């Protein structure tokens, strides 16, 4: 895929140089180099024959709670065994160079937080906040990794895990308050996004003076509409993605590189300017 004419870490660093309130919108590609499969990339492992969009719905959970719960336990185990990549680290480092950095993520993993980002908004919820389907009370997160986790699910899990012939099923726990089934704390297709989080994200984008969009196909709404809030204010929208996406046509700069390759180079240039006493 072609870059925009002058896409390069230097051009991007220049575009960010004078900005102080940088917003970062991330998608599944942000965690790809940590070994977490993307939504629309090549399917692998245990769930290769399942379409994530068919599993990430209220109907799928109603129809087959153990199947959907096992899928989320498998994904949680992948995340618990993953480490933040250099891209996550670079975004956390950006906070030390710019006073107003906000990370708005479509991802349900905790890799931004584990890298050190302190202002992360999860538009689509989190794997680590299960709650009761019936009474909505939060349910304590139980680790899905480690031998007991893998043992309970009858297989080793994690990046490069063996793929058992059939998808195993793991019954969701029962709510300790009302006995209802516990569901993952994520936003499924057809469900509304958490209003408070959405409002904080839109306010951040109405206030930011630059937006970095990293690792999203720009397919899922309403998250995919967010870059327009920045573009229509005449502020730079900069995309980092090894492919083009639905965001690319509206981006000022599209650098076709990966999160873990591109972000550290941009932050390194900004850091050098900071060290030289220039604006960062
Ligand atoms: C809503 C949590 C209304 C769950 C997710 C018909 C029926 C119902 C709804 C709809 C419909 N038609 C349209 C809709 C709306 C629907 C939607 O947008 N559908 C799409 C598919 C057309 N949206 C919704 O349903 C939303 N809710 O509309 O509600 C409403 C309102 C009020 C009240 C009630 C209802 C809810 C959407 C949220 C769904 N939940 N996740 C879970 O994780 O299991 S979305 C899911 O997709 C993930 O969060 C993921 O992050 C997200 C978006 O995908 P991407 O992040 O972009 O990932 P993708 O794989 O697509 O792309 C990866 C990109 O990374 C690629 O571009 C690739 O090139 C790049 N990449 C790869 N490697 C790297 C890289 N980039 C950088 N570095 C790398 N190394
Ligand atoms: Zn309950």
């Amino acid at each position: 895929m072609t870059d925009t004419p002058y896409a390069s870490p230097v051009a991007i660093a220049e575009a960010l140089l004078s900005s102080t309130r940088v917003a970062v919108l991330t998608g599944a590609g942000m965690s790809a180099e940590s070994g977490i499969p993307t939504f629309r990339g090549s399917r692998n492992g245990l769930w290769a024959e399942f379409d994530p969009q068919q599993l990430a719905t209220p109907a799928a959970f109603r129809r087959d709670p153990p199947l959907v719960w096992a899928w989320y336990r498998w994904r949680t185990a992948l995340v618990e065994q993953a480490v933040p990549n250099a891209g996550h680290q670079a975004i956390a480092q950006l906070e030390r160079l710019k006073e107003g950095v906000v990370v708005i993520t479509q991802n349900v993993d905790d890799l931004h937080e584990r890298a050190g980002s302190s202002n992360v908004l999860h538009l689509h919820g989190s794997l680590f906040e299960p709650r009761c389907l019936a009474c909505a009370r939060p349910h304590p997160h139980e680790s899905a990794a480690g031998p007991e986790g893998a043992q309970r699910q009858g297989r080793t899990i994690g990046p490069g895990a063996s793929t058992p012939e059939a998808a195993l099923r793991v019954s969701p726990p029962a709510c300790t308050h009302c006995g209802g089934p516990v569901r993952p704390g994520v936003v499924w297709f057809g469900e509304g996004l958490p209003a408070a989080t959405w409002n904080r994200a839109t306010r951040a984008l109405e206030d930011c003076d630059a937006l970095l969009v990293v690792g999203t196909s720009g397919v899922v709404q309403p998250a995919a509409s967010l870059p327009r809030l920045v573009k229509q204010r005449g502020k730079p929208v900069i995309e980092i993605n090894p492919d083009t996406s639905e965001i690319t046509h509206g981006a000022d700069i599209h650098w076709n590189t990966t999160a873990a390759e591109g972000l550290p180079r941009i932050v390194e240039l900004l850091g050098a300017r900071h060290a030289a006493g220039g604006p960062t």
Side-chain angles (χ1 to χ4, degrees), residues 73 76-78 80-81 143-158:
R73 296 301 284 167
T76 304
L78 281 181
E80 288 177 339
Q81 294 168 31
S143 171
E148 70 294 339
Q151 201 52 43
R152 191 170 56 242
Q153 297 183 32
R155 62 189 181 285
T156 55
I157 32 183

Side-chain angles (χ1 to χ4, degrees), residues 93-267:
Q93 167 69 14
L94 195 58
E95 275 186 26
R96 294 187 270 284
L97 299 172
K98 305 272 182 194
E99 72 264 15
V101 175
V102 58
V103 179
I104 300 165
T105 188
Q106 300 171 84
N107 300 340
V108 293
D109 63 49
D110 62 348
L111 296 175
H112 281 301
E113 291 89 341
R114 284 163 55 193
S117 287
S118 62
N119 189 7
V120 182
L121 301 176
H122 282 272
L123 295 177
H124 297 157
S126 166
L127 290 169
F128 299 91
E129 294 167 1
R131 66 174 187 271
C132 176
L133 183 74
C135 73
R137 271 185 175 73
H139 186 82
H141 168 70
E142 283 175 61
S143 171
E148 70 294 339
Q151 201 52 43
R152 191 170 56 242
Q153 297 183 32
R155 62 189 181 285
T156 55
I157 32 183
S162 64
T163 306
E165 306 66 57
L168 291 182
R169 284 169 168 73
V170 177
S171 293
C175 169
T176 50
H177 179 78
C178 77
V182 171
R183 57 158 288 174
V186 300
V187 178
W188 279 326
F189 288 100
E191 291 187 316
L193 275 57
T197 305
W198 177 258
N199 293 336
R200 284 180 61 196
T202 52
R203 273 201 305 276
L205 293 171
E206 280 150 7
D207 177 52
C208 76
D209 50 14
L211 172 66
L212 273 174
V213 183
V214 187
T216 181
S217 59
V219 164
V220 173
Q221 295 296 351
S225 65
L226 289 174
R228 266 200 297 279
L229 294 180
V230 181
K231 183 74 181 171
Q232 64 198 23
R233 291 173 44 238
K235 300 298 180 188
V237 174
I238 298 157
E239 180 183 29
I240 293 186
N241 190 326
D243 202 344
T244 51
S245 73
E246 293 300 312
I247 306 288
T248 308
H249 61 283
D252 298 284
I253 299 180
H254 167 229
W255 183 19
N256 77 335
T257 186
T258 70
E261 291 294 325
L263 288 166
R265 291 176 62 193
I266 294 165
V267 173

